[in-house]
Amino acid sequence: LSRYVHMATASGVVQAIFPEGGLSRDGKLRPPKFGLLSYMVAAFDPKGPKDVVFVPVGVNYDRVLEDRMLTSAANTEPGKRPVFGFNLATFLRPFFRHVCLAMRGEWYRYGYTCVSFGEPFSLKHYVAERGIDFRDLPEKERFVEVERLGSKLMEAVGRVVPALPVSLVATAMLDAHPAPLSLFEIKSRVSKIIETLEASKAYVHIPRSDRDYAIEVGLRMLRLRHIVNENDGIYSANPADLHILRYYGNAIAHLLPANTWAAEISAPQAAPAAPAMRALPAE
């Protein structure tokens, strides 16, 4: 594997790397793994004709199909594997429900998926600034420098994770929990979150360029799955599904200041956003 990655990098082949090594189970960015990155930089010649350019890629989803499975795995006792069985009734119930909704014209898609790209990161410029050559470093020092580089790249990935309607509404609901909110209060809270994100240069996806529509879409998605309950125009988080609400809120928690909603979201539970990073060895 090491030789393959080295040859691909030296030949200028585009490679996609998922630095976390798997799906997040608590909604937060997972610590990166450095194996593939180490293979890519171990033989890099900073004075050679080619550069290696990393392009940070952040991905977020309004709906992750396996979200309940991931949250269950996150809550399993350490050292034990979660056990999942097939239940025919569990499969058929939502299937026929979706068919009925489609026939009545009330079936909605699973929301939005968004991919955001960050600024290219030149390995040649990085090693010049650090004054290092990975080829000449002792093994222990090389591992330290690879970890430093990987953490820097992971931070770049985190900065470009887009904020989607479900994550925005989930964050607002968690901020208020256990207090219920009216639609006006939800829109007011989400608008403040959007302003905070935009002020920090984070990308917020507003479908149709309509903020009210974006909030209504996010709220509708959570209501349809009974993660948020409505009673006479008043909305509240379903206590039984708080872990799912945190799962989606955590996708953007790292983009927000360490305040009330960030503290609430940080409770140990589940996750979606699976960021990726693409390494582009360039001429």
Side-chain angles (χ1 to χ4, degrees):
L1 177 61
S2 173
R3 182 59 181 156
Y4 171 81
V5 173
H6 167 67
M7 291 176 64
T9 304
S11 301
V13 177
V14 175
Q15 302 171 69
I17 299 177
F18 292 84
E20 296 169 291
L23 295 176
S24 173
R25 296 179 179 180
D26 61 2
K28 304 174 185 177
L29 294 174
R30 299 174 68 178
K33 296 184 177 180
F34 305 110
L36 289 177
L37 181 62
S38 178
Y39 297 157
M40 295 179 69
V41 304
F44 177 69
D45 182 1
K47 297 181 180 178
K50 291 186 176 182
D51 193 1
V52 175
V53 179
F54 298 93
V55 179
V57 182
V59 187
N60 199 3
Y61 304 86
D62 266 340
R63 170 76 186 272
V64 177
L65 296 181
E66 65 271 33
D67 53 10
R68 294 187 184 276
M69 186 176 296
L70 289 170
T71 56
S72 297
N75 293 325
T76 303
E77 293 183 21
K80 291 186 177 181
R81 286 181 173 272
V83 178
F84 303 103
F86 177 76
N87 187 307
L88 184 61
T90 301
F91 169 77
L92 292 177
R93 192 183 306 116
F95 175 79
F96 286 112
R97 180 171 176 269
H98 288 171
V99 170
C100 293
L101 289 173
M103 293 176 66
R104 297 200 306 264
E106 298 177 357
W107 187 82
Y108 297 97
R109 296 182 181 274
Y110 290 142
Y112 294 87
T113 298
C114 188
V115 181
S116 183
F117 298 84
E119 294 184 5
F121 183 97
S122 167
L123 181 60
K124 183 172 288 190
H125 291 167
Y126 175 80
V127 296
E129 290 178 357
R130 292 284 305 155
I132 59 175
D133 186 333
F134 285 102
R135 299 173 302 173
D136 299 334
L137 294 175
E139 184 178 44
K140 187 175 181 179
E141 291 183 24
R142 186 172 70 251
F143 287 160
V144 171
E145 288 296 339
V146 169
E147 184 175 348
R148 186 193 303 271
L149 172 62
S151 298
K152 191 175 184 67
L153 291 172
M154 199 64 196
E155 289 175 6
V157 171
R159 286 196 297 270
V160 297
V161 172
L164 297 185
V166 167
S167 291
L168 293 168
V169 175
T171 301
M173 296 302 300
L174 287 166
D175 181 24
H177 182 74
L181 297 173
S182 66
L183 180 59
F184 175 80
E185 290 172 324
I186 292 174
K187 289 185 176 181
S188 176
R189 287 173 178 265
V190 172
S191 293
K192 290 180 180 178
I193 294 170
I194 291 174
E195 290 168 4
T196 300
L197 290 170
E198 291 180 339
S200 64
K201 307 300 183 183
Y203 176 69
V204 182
H205 182 64
I206 307 296
R208 303 181 184 179
S209 300
D210 186 333
R211 187 176 291 187
D212 283 346
Y213 174 75
I215 296 171
E216 289 169 5
V217 166
L219 185 59
R220 181 179 67 197
M221 287 285 298
L222 295 171
R223 283 181 51 242
L224 287 173
R225 302 185 63 199
H226 307 291
I227 298 170
V228 169
N229 297 324
E230 179 197 1
N231 186 14
D232 295 329
I234 301 299
Y235 302 86
S236 60
N238 180 358
D241 279 335
L242 271 179
H243 58 294
I244 303 293
L245 203 61
R246 293 190 182 103
Y247 176 91
Y248 289 98
N250 277 345
I252 61 172
H254 65 283
L255 298 171
L256 294 166
N259 51 23
T260 53
W261 63 68
E264 173 62 28
I265 294 172
S266 64
Q269 298 285 349
M277 184 166 54
R278 178 166 304 185
L280 302 178
E283 293 291 336

